[in-house]
């Protein structure tokens, strides 16, 4: 194999014979060139941005006009607290589908093989499943809250409130930075659009429709984005495993993955270059991509699990979604959303990530860390059509999750800073103005911040792994806040701050000890990240637990139940939705199913794969079928369920749209007059009888 050029017939276009040197592999896949026209890049960013800004704002107006929604500050920030299961699940999928979900999941498939997509998906699904418990507890213990920090203040006071507010805002900044880093990197690689311009232009349309319609606009846009993402997902999965003439079946992918990782393959310069995939993988069983026995994949899985607890439990966006859900939909929405979301990284990376390896694409480590693996595969399989489809999919992910972050920050700044410390008696109108001002300000700030990160050289992969170190210490104190009556304020404050400091010190110290220097490269490697993530989350929880056992608070949640709304609105929900016995039953349900599915996908599933060692053709075919089926069924459910549940509302809007508005106004006017006459009849009758009495 070492003497042949190219080493494989199917990847011959990436090799050439150079006189006096021999067989030379292409130095990188993209070679610094844009795949698409720059004008197309700007058209996609601005065109989609304008379309969603107009279309989503129109949907919000139609609901207001024909369904009768009252656009108060409460509605703007909580969507009326009446959102059903299907839309909540769709929002969770959309909110949790970042640029990293599409890009980084395929990167870890390229690095570790089949274990990468699995650990990415399972390591980031369990947080959503378990957050369902917190979501139902909000309905029980803080039914009128607007943000997680409002609950912190009601229970633990001002000092704890300020600490957790800082950590929540940091989480939103990190998540938004990752969205813009991933989005701008791919748009730049694909079309040559200036990476700094992309950082500002991508959020533009999101800012407009979020300003117009608040949380409800975010939810409606999230559903549309989810539909597009899942349609693209199904296309890519079926393309790799059934339709492509370059791959087209699990057996071909299996054969290719064995060939490219063969220890007989020559991987010296120039037949392969440093940082490109070639030969056996260090840390994998038999050096194979076709095994779950991967030390690198397992370590990534632990980092992923720990880090993502922070980005769910400390991200106010998930609390806002839980607050917006109707009580009977909350737990079901989070469980369904988590299970459907699992398919996005698992199915997509099992196809596009492994596809990049099976096609022997000359991707470099630098290209992969910037999230360009799925893009390379889509181009190799579909040409420019594939790159446009992936660009569309990515734009949907970035803008949808971005709008959620805008609302999350807006709620924190409005209710936890402005209403709490600046103007406690603010009217609903004033709250609405502040919410919109924050959305505009934060959107512009994040564009600037993404430019700075790009300038410094921070990659999506580095930011994704580092977030757990920085925010993980706040996870267990937040969990204890709603689940443990003994949890006290001093333990929460100390645990969160000290855990973050210890985690950061450990992270940097391990990087220095292991690699002799501290920089973006060494701090982004697995050993320092693993140590920092674990120390951060465990120290935060341990300190809080010890302090709470020594000085228990013995809290009964009375003050959290006393959190007030700005405008008192009549709820359309029946009273039984808020009955304690119904909410307690819902809590038991989500604990059973949430913990059950967590055990299956994090413990039982990986354990059952270990006896297989290196997957056979049959075993890998079964694995691919699971990925295809999960992606297909999940996509069908998340597209159909919100429409089915909202069919009555859709009917009302359609009837209103296609009925003469002027006629409806006349009918309403006539109804008003008839009602006035009917109300006046008893008074008129009384006056008539009185006159008769006087006449007699």
């Amino acid at each position: 194999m070492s003497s042949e050029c190219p080493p494989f017939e199917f990847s011959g276009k990436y090799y050439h014979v150079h006189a006096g040197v021999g067989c030379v592999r292409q130095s990188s896949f993209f070679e610094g060139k844009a795949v698409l026209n720059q004008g197309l890049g700007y058209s996609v960013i601005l065109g989609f941005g304008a379309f969603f800004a107009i279309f989503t704002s129109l949907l919000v107006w139609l609901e207001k006009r024909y369904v009768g929604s009252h656009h108060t500050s409460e509605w703007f920030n909580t969507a009326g607290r009446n959102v059903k299961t299907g839309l909540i699940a769709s929002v969770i999928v959309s909110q949790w589908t970042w640029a990293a979900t599409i890009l980084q999941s395929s990167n870890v498939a390229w690095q570790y093989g089949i274990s990468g997509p699995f650990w990415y998906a399972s390591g980031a699904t369990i947080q959503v499943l378990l957050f369902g418990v917190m979501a139902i507890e909000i309905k029980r213990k803080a039914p009128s809250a607007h943000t997680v920090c409002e609950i912190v203040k009601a229970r633990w006071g001002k000092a704890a409130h300020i600490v957790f507010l800082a950590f929540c805002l940091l989480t939103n900044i990190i998540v938004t930075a990752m969205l813009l880093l991933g989005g701008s990197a791919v748009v730049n690689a694909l079309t040559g659009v200036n990476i700094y311009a992309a950082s500002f232009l991508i959020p533009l349309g999101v800012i407009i429709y979020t300003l117009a319609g608040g949380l409800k606009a975010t939810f409606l846009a999230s559903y549309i984005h989810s539909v597009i993402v899942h349609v693209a997902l199904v296309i890519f999965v079926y393309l790799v495993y059934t339709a492509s003439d370059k791959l087209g079946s699990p057996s071909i992918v299996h054969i290719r993955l064995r060939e490219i990782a063969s220890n007989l393959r020559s991987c010296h310069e120039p037949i392969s270059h440093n940082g490109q995939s070639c030969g056996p993988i260090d840390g994998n069983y038999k050096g194979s991509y076709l095994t779950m026995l991967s030390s690198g994949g397992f370590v990534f899985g632990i980092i992923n699990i720990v880090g993502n607890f922070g980005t769910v439990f400390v991200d106010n966006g998930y609390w806002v979604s839980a607050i917006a859900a109707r009580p009977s939909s909350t737990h079901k929405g989070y469980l369904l959303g988590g299970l459907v979301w699992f398919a996005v990284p698992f199915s997509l990376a099992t196809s596009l990530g492994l596809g990049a390896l099976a096609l022997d694409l000359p991707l470099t480590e630098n290209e992969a860390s910037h999230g360009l693996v799925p893009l390379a595969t889509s181009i190799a399989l579909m040409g420019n059509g594939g790159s446009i489809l992936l660009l569309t999919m990515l734009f949907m992910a970035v803008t949808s999750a971005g709008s959620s972050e805008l609302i999350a920050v807006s709620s924190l700044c409005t209710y936890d800073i402005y209403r709490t410390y600046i103007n406690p008696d603010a009217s609903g109108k004033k709250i609405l103005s502040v919410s919109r001002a924050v959305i505009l300000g934060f959107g512009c700030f994040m564009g600037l911040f993404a430019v700075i990160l790009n300038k410094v050289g921070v990659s999506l992969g580095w930011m994704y792994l580092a977030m757990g170190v920085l925010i993980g210490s706040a996870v267990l104190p937040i969990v204890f806040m709603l689940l443990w009556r003994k949890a006290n304020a001093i333990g929460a404050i100390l645990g969160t701050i000290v855990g973050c400091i210890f985690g950061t010190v450990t992270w940097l110290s391990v990087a220095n000890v292991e690699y002799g220097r501290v920089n973006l490269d060494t701090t982004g490697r697995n050993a320092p990240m693993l140590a920092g993530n674990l120390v951060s989350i465990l120290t935060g929880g341990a300190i809080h637990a010890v302090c709470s056992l020594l000085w228990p608070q013995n809290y009964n949640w009375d003050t959290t139940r006393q959190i007030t709304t700005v405008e008192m609105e009549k709820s359309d929900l029946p009273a039984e939705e808020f009955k304690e016995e119904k909410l307690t039953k819902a809590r038991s349900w989500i604990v059973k199913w949430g913990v059950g599915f967590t055990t299956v996908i994090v413990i039982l599933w990986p354990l059952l794969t270990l006896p297989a060692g290196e997957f056979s053709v049959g075993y890998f075919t079964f694995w691919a079928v699971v990925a295809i089926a999960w992606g297909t069924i999940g996509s069908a459910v998340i597209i159909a369920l919100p429409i089915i549940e909202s069919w009555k509302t859709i009917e009302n809007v359609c009837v209103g749209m296609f009925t003469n508005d002027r006629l409806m106004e006349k009918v309403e006017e006539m109804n008003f007059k008839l009602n006035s006459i009917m109300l006046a009849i008893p008074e008129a009758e009384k006056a008539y009888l009185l006159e008769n009495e006087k006449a007699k």
Side-chain angles (χ1 to χ4, degrees), residues 281-355:
I281 307 96
D282 290 338
N284 279 26
Y285 176 70
K286 292 185 178 179
S288 173
Y289 287 110
L290 294 158
T291 181
M292 283 289 287
L293 291 162
S294 167
S295 59
F298 181 65
V299 168
F300 168 76
I302 296 172
I303 296 170
N304 201 35
I305 289 169
V306 175
N308 281 311
F309 268 108
T311 44
V312 171
F313 284 75
V314 193
D315 185 344
N316 187 50
Y318 292 89
W319 296 84
V320 166
S321 296
I323 288 162
R326 60 167 55 198
S328 60
S329 300
T330 309
H331 53 300
K332 296 174 191 170
Y334 274 82
L335 187 79
L336 179 61
L339 292 176
V340 171
W341 180 86
F342 181 92
V344 180
F346 179 63
S347 302
L348 191 68
T350 299
S351 55
L352 294 183
L354 297 183

Side-chain angles (χ1 to χ4, degrees), residues 6-183:
F8 310 108
E9 199 63 44
F10 58 81
S11 59
K13 65 188 286 188
Y14 306 118
Y15 295 84
H16 65 276
V17 178
H18 195 281
V21 178
C23 194
V24 180
R25 190 180 190 184
Q26 192 171 302
S27 60
S28 70
F29 184 84
F30 292 97
E31 297 185 306
K33 300 171 191 168
V35 179
L36 299 172
N37 182 278
Q38 193 177 93
L40 181 64
Y42 282 109
S43 299
V44 167
I45 294 173
L46 298 175
F48 272 127
F51 169 75
F52 278 103
I54 295 166
F55 185 65
T56 310
S57 301
L58 176 65
L59 290 178
V60 171
W61 179 83
L62 288 172
E63 186 186 40
K64 180 183 179 182
R65 175 72 181 81
Y66 298 111
V67 181
S69 299
H70 300 290
H71 288 199
T72 61
S73 68
E74 284 292 319
W75 179 91
F76 188 88
N77 287 293
T78 66
R81 303 176 194 262
N82 190 18
V83 183
K84 296 176 182 174
T85 304
L87 191 54
I88 283 293
S90 173
V91 167
I92 295 305
V93 173
S94 188
Q95 200 170 329
W96 206 207
T97 303
W98 303 344
T101 311
I102 295 167
L103 306 176
Q104 183 71 3
S105 59
S106 290
N107 176 23
V108 290
W110 182 82
Q111 285 181 283
Y112 309 119
I114 59 165
S115 66
F118 174 80
W119 284 118
Y120 191 105
S122 64
T125 296
I126 61 172
Q127 295 83 355
V128 176
L129 300 180
L130 296 175
F131 190 83
V133 178
M134 307 301 290
I136 206 71
E137 287 298 285
I138 297 170
K139 300 299 181 186
R140 292 181 63 221
K141 295 168 180 171
S144 296
H146 304 89
T147 70
V148 60
C149 292
E150 270 192 331
I151 306 171
V152 171
K153 186 174 188 299
R155 175 165 184 176
W156 288 330
K158 183 177 178 180
H161 180 244
I162 292 169
V163 170
F164 282 91
L165 180 59
F167 272 81
C168 286
L169 288 171
L170 177 63
T171 304
N172 293 128
I173 290 169
I174 291 172
V175 172
T176 312
M178 280 195 291
L179 294 172
L180 294 179
L181 281 174

Side-chain angles (χ1 to χ4, degrees), residues 461-481:
W462 186 92
M463 185 68 87
Y464 183 80
L465 294 171
M467 63 187 175
V469 179
L470 300 174
I471 60 176
S473 59
V475 172
L476 289 172
I478 281 180
V479 172
F480 293 156
M481 175 186 68

Side-chain angles (χ1 to χ4, degrees), residues 118-119 122-123 126 292 298 305 595-611:
F118 174 80
W119 284 118
S122 64
I126 61 172
M292 283 289 287
F298 181 65
I305 289 169
V595 173
F597 277 117
T598 296
T599 305
V600 169
I601 63 177
V602 173
I603 299 171
L604 294 181
W605 186 339
L607 283 177
L608 290 171
T609 65
L610 299 185

Side-chain angles (χ1 to χ4, degrees), residues 376-595:
T377 312
S378 64
I379 292 168
L381 293 176
M382 297 175 68
N384 285 354
S387 59
I388 293 170
L389 184 60
L390 192 90
L391 179 61
T392 303
M393 190 182 192
L394 182 79
F395 188 83
M396 295 302 114
V398 171
T399 52
S400 176
S403 62
S404 165
E405 295 305 307
L406 285 175
I407 283 290
V409 171
S410 166
S411 299
L412 288 171
C413 292
T414 303
Y415 291 100
D416 291 287
I417 297 176
Y418 182 76
R419 190 187 179 209
T420 302
Y421 298 114
I422 298 172
N423 186 2
D425 300 318
S427 64
K429 193 174 179 182
K430 191 67 181 171
I431 291 284
L432 196 55
S433 300
V434 173
S435 296
R436 288 183 165 137
V438 172
I439 287 168
L440 184 61
F442 183 69
C444 295
F445 163 74
M446 282 315 302
L448 180 63
F449 188 57
V451 167
I452 295 168
L453 292 176
N454 271 314
K455 200 80 175 170
V456 172
V458 172
S459 72
L460 172 67
W462 186 92
M463 185 68 87
Y464 183 80
L465 294 171
M467 63 187 175
V469 179
L470 300 174
I471 60 176
S473 59
V475 172
L476 289 172
I478 281 180
V479 172
F480 293 156
M481 175 186 68
L482 276 179
L483 299 184
W484 192 24
R485 51 197 299 271
K486 290 184 178 181
N488 66 17
I490 189 68
I493 295 167
L494 282 177
T496 302
I497 295 172
V498 174
C500 179
I501 294 169
F502 279 19
T504 306
V505 170
T506 303
W507 172 38
L508 300 177
S509 301
V510 172
N512 189 48
V513 170
E514 284 280 315
Y515 308 109
R517 61 193 183 282
V518 176
N519 56 29
L520 283 175
D521 175 45
T522 59
T523 53
R525 295 186 190 179
N526 276 355
M529 285 293 189
L530 176 61
N533 271 271
L534 285 174
V535 168
S536 182
I537 195 168
L538 295 177
T539 304
I543 290 173
H544 193 189
V546 169
C547 289
S548 299
L549 289 170
L550 291 174
W551 305 287
Q553 185 183 10
N554 296 321
Y555 185 65
N556 60 8
W557 286 281
D558 275 352
T559 53
T560 59
R561 291 189 177 99
Q562 289 166 14
I563 295 171
T564 58
T565 57
V566 179
E567 293 124 334
M568 298 300 292
E569 291 186 341
K570 187 177 179 299
S571 174
D572 296 329
L573 296 172
E576 65 177 37
E577 285 267 353
F578 299 94
K579 283 186 178 175
E580 178 63 22
E581 60 189 68
K582 188 167 183 176
L583 294 173
T584 305
K585 191 176 177 182
R587 182 179 184 272
S588 302
W589 187 91
I590 190 63
V591 167
K592 178 177 74 174
W593 288 105
V595 173

